[in-house]
Amino acid sequence: MSDFRFLHTMIRVFDLDKSIQFYTDFLGMKLLRKNDYPDGKFTLAFVGYGDEKDHTVIELTHNWDQTEPYDLGNAFGHMALGVPDIYKTCEDLRKIGAKIVREPGPMKHGTTVIAFIEDPDGYKIELIETKK
């Protein structure tokens, strides 16, 4: 099993263009590929910080017939990104319209500095300060 590799996480998104903009413009990811599947009435877009052969990415799945935002349920937790300066990152994200749902600061019962933001569909993204 040591040759296994984590490839991607898939999330369903209501407005694909808005989601791609969030992950690329707000979080600095790149749109790696995007494919329409007309027979299945869906589009897959993959975003990430580097090529899929070397990096774990996010698969954004847009079902064309979805008429309402998805109910996220209560099983999914969050995705996490490491950032070098969490206070500056949150300040910059706030300026461009990101929704910060937990201001930066030490986590409860620990010293790791974290914050949470939400993407356009309400998925939580934890920011973790990773000083170099």
Side-chain angles (χ1 to χ4, degrees):
M1 288 193 211
S2 63
D3 57 345
F4 287 16
R5 188 170 75 82
F6 189 30
L7 300 177
H8 67 261
T9 294
M10 183 278 270
I11 57 175
R12 290 178 179 86
V13 300
F14 183 63
D15 183 330
L16 183 60
D17 292 333
K18 197 176 206 179
S19 292
I20 290 171
Q21 178 190 16
F22 175 84
Y23 286 96
T24 58
D25 292 353
F26 286 25
L27 300 181
M29 294 183 186
K30 293 180 177 90
L31 176 61
L32 304 171
R33 60 187 167 107
K34 180 179 165 185
N35 298 87
D36 292 327
Y37 296 87
D39 291 343
K41 296 184 180 178
F42 66 93
T43 301
L44 301 181
F46 290 79
V47 295
Y49 291 112
D51 190 279
E52 292 174 76
K53 68 180 174 50
D54 300 314
H55 294 82
T56 303
V57 301
I58 301 172
E59 174 186 341
L60 306 174
T61 299
H62 172 66
N63 294 301
W64 300 352
D65 294 337
Q66 186 69 22
T67 59
E68 296 179 14
Y70 288 96
D71 175 4
L72 301 185
N74 62 4
F76 177 79
H78 62 268
M79 293 175 268
L81 299 177
V83 300
D85 182 341
I86 199 162
Y87 295 96
K88 172 112 173 64
T89 298
C90 287
E91 178 183 319
D92 292 345
L93 286 169
R94 184 178 282 108
K95 285 179 185 173
I96 59 173
K99 182 177 181 182
I100 299 175
V101 296
R102 195 251 196 217
E103 292 295 329
M107 62 179 272
K108 285 185 181 179
H109 315 294
T111 58
T112 303
V113 181
I114 65 171
F116 278 89
I117 61 173
E118 277 184 1
D119 82 352
D121 290 279
Y123 290 106
K124 303 281 189 291
I125 299 157
E126 180 180 20
L127 305 176
I128 302 173
E129 190 163 70
T130 54
K131 295 201 186 259
K132 291 186 178 190

